[in-house]
Amino acid sequence: MLWKPRCGRLAALVAVITLACVMPVPAAPSADEVELTRLLREFLAGASGLAAHQRFWADELVYTGSSGRRIGKADILADLRAAASPRPAGPETTYTAEDIRIHQYGDTAIVAFRLVGTTQAGGRTEVARYLNTGTLLRRGGEWRAVAWQATKAPRSEDETKAEVAAAQAAIDRAILTADAKALESLLDETFVWTHPTGEKGTRTELVADLTAGTLRFSKLETAAVSVSAYGDTAVARGESRRQRSAFPGSAPGGDAQPYTSFFTTTFVNKDGVWKAVALHTSRAR
């Protein structure tokens, strides 16, 4: 005999064999579960298009969104058609599903999963997570959703602070490099910048100045940024060393010397994306 087991090893071996015999073997997914999973993933992959929603939702759909808004299929299609009209390009979001759970009761199925929305905005990546539960009915051999509920999964305070700090850095980078397209995606359409002089500027005006070259920064170095989080609202505060080579109404050459500016930026989270809605700057004396 080449190997003689000790009593302890033999007992452990017997225990492992016994456990393997009594442990249930996970059942293979049924054909309907495979079909429902495929249908869900295909819908999410094409969620930005009208056709995917026309196919996935039943006409009598009741959809309760994470904001508490209750809508139907007609409302969803109307929103998609409105979004397809010409307007500035916004951030792109892709959707995937994790932890898919399916419970089937004949021609009725409950599909629960974690929805992950990944958004590329202004050179940064933001991730939002939602818990979704849908009820689907099979009619004429086709599954369609008749009811849907979405709940936003809470993000930690640390995650919020990190995301908002990244959004602030992206705004500063876009202004410094005069990247008007990136800046537009980082600022809400209601954005207002209150300057040290008391003058107010809108997103449209800021983007136009950067595009025309009437506003240019040769230096914009931000430091000492702190973020306070209040759910889907956050405030970033800090200071930056700035110098403009051009600004509306300036003499040729812009600022003669760099200056220190204190700022407060207010952000709101819309559909998983942090956008600045207000900026207030004061010049250090």
Side-chain angles (χ1 to χ4, degrees):
M1 188 173 185
L2 298 176
W3 175 70
K4 184 177 181 180
R6 297 178 182 176
C7 292
R9 290 178 176 172
L10 181 59
L13 181 61
V14 172
V16 169
I17 294 173
T18 303
L19 184 62
C21 292
V22 300
M23 286 182 65
V25 178
S30 68
D32 286 332
E33 289 176 340
V34 172
E35 170 64 14
L36 287 163
T37 300
R38 181 193 62 78
L39 182 65
L40 175 63
R41 294 194 187 281
E42 286 183 355
F43 166 67
L44 295 178
S48 61
L50 195 66
H53 291 267
Q54 288 176 323
R55 164 65 186 87
F56 191 76
W57 308 116
D59 291 338
E60 68 270 36
L61 169 74
V62 177
Y63 183 104
T64 305
S66 60
S67 64
R69 181 188 177 206
R70 181 167 287 174
I71 58 177
K73 180 177 181 177
D75 301 305
I76 293 174
L77 297 182
D79 287 346
L80 286 167
R81 290 189 180 101
S85 60
R87 62 178 59 191
E92 295 184 2
T93 302
T94 57
Y95 296 99
T96 55
E98 297 177 350
D99 190 21
I100 301 173
R101 306 180 188 185
I102 298 174
H103 297 284
Q104 187 176 357
Y105 309 92
D107 287 333
T108 302
I110 307 299
V111 179
F113 64 99
R114 183 167 55 250
L115 176 68
V116 180
T118 304
T119 303
Q120 305 291 335
R124 74 190 194 281
T125 301
E126 294 188 352
V127 178
R129 293 176 174 83
Y130 302 83
L131 300 178
N132 280 238
T133 301
T135 302
L136 288 87
L137 295 183
R138 180 165 51 192
R139 296 168 177 158
E142 289 189 347
W143 291 99
R144 292 182 184 266
V146 295
W148 206 266
Q149 175 87 35
T151 301
K152 191 172 184 178
R155 61 171 57 82
S156 71
E157 185 173 348
D158 287 343
E159 286 177 323
T160 293
K161 289 183 176 181
E163 290 175 359
V164 171
Q168 180 66 59
I171 290 173
D172 294 342
R173 185 168 55 251
I175 292 176
L176 178 62
T177 60
D179 189 342
K181 182 178 180 181
L183 185 63
E184 195 167 30
S185 71
L186 295 161
L187 307 181
D188 189 71
E189 60 186 11
T190 63
F191 172 82
V192 174
W193 183 349
T194 303
H195 297 275
T197 59
E199 294 177 293
K200 292 181 172 62
T202 66
R203 181 181 76 168
T204 300
E205 292 168 338
L206 176 57
V207 168
D209 284 340
L210 289 173
T211 301
T214 52
L215 176 63
R216 282 287 186 271
F217 282 81
S218 55
K219 179 189 291 289
L220 206 170
E221 300 171 350
T222 300
V225 177
S226 64
V227 177
S228 300
Y230 311 94
D232 282 338
T233 303
V235 177
R237 303 176 182 89
E239 61 182 78
S240 58
R241 192 72 174 158
R242 305 180 177 204
Q243 186 171 15
R244 298 165 297 181
S245 57
F247 59 92
S250 70
D255 296 313
Q257 299 291 335
Y259 64 93
T260 298
S261 178
F262 301 105
F263 67 86
T264 300
T265 311
T266 302
F267 290 86
V268 295
N269 191 283
K270 290 188 172 182
D271 299 323
V273 179
W274 290 102
K275 292 197 171 190
V277 295
L279 170 63
H280 194 120
T281 53
S282 300
R283 193 159 177 164
R285 295 182 179 178

